[in-house]
Amino acid sequence: MMPLDQLRSQIDTIDEQLLSLLKQRSQVIDTISDIKGELGLPLHCPERERQIINSICSRNPTLYHQLDLICIFRAIFNASLNLQLLKNTKQAG
Ligand SMILES: O=C(O)C(=O)C[C@]1(C(=O)O)C=C[C@@H](O)C=C1
């Protein structure tokens, strides 16, 4: 195999792991959504998002630029918020 093919195969394996972790994260978000619905808590929690971003940025073990890492996590938060909004809208309707 060409070195590029080998590296892409490595990326495919890592992407599978990322997908599995995102699956786990989305399942936890789903449960958080139920709890927030029961307790009437706001779905959006900017303070919690800030805590996570601060914790990640203070370490940034990746080679990615800090701003790009923030964008990745912001996209995850948005997806999580959408998931919670969809679920709560369905339950309310
Ligand atoms: O911790 C929460 O309250 C969540 O809803 C989870 C989460 C996240 O994806 O980490 C999602 C949306 C909130 O704005 C903050 C954090």
Side-chain angles (χ1 to χ4, degrees):
M1 233 200 274
M2 293 254 300
L4 181 59
D5 290 333
Q6 281 176 4
L7 291 168
R8 282 182 175 163
S9 163
Q10 222 175 304
I11 290 290
D12 288 342
T13 304
I14 293 167
D15 285 348
E16 279 304 314
Q17 291 169 352
L18 280 174
L19 203 57
S20 170
L21 288 171
L22 284 171
K23 177 184 169 191
Q24 285 178 50
R25 197 182 199 283
S26 73
Q27 287 165 340
V28 175
I29 294 292
D30 194 60
T31 308
I32 286 183
S33 171
D34 290 341
I35 291 170
K36 284 184 172 178
E38 279 164 28
L39 300 179
L41 295 173
L43 301 180
H44 189 211
C45 187
E47 181 52 34
R48 170 69 178 149
E49 292 184 13
R50 262 193 298 276
Q51 277 174 4
I52 297 174
I53 295 274
N54 286 343
S55 157
I56 283 162
C57 286
S58 63
R59 286 172 292 134
N60 189 3
T62 75
L63 297 177
Y64 293 127
H65 190 282
Q66 189 129 309
L67 282 177
D68 290 322
L69 196 58
I70 291 174
C71 283
I72 292 168
F73 274 86
R74 287 240 164 278
I76 293 174
F77 296 147
N78 283 340
S80 297
L81 198 56
N82 281 339
L83 196 153
Q84 295 188 57
L85 282 169
L86 269 173
K87 200 172 179 199
N88 277 266
T89 312
K90 267 187 209 152
Q91 277 168 355

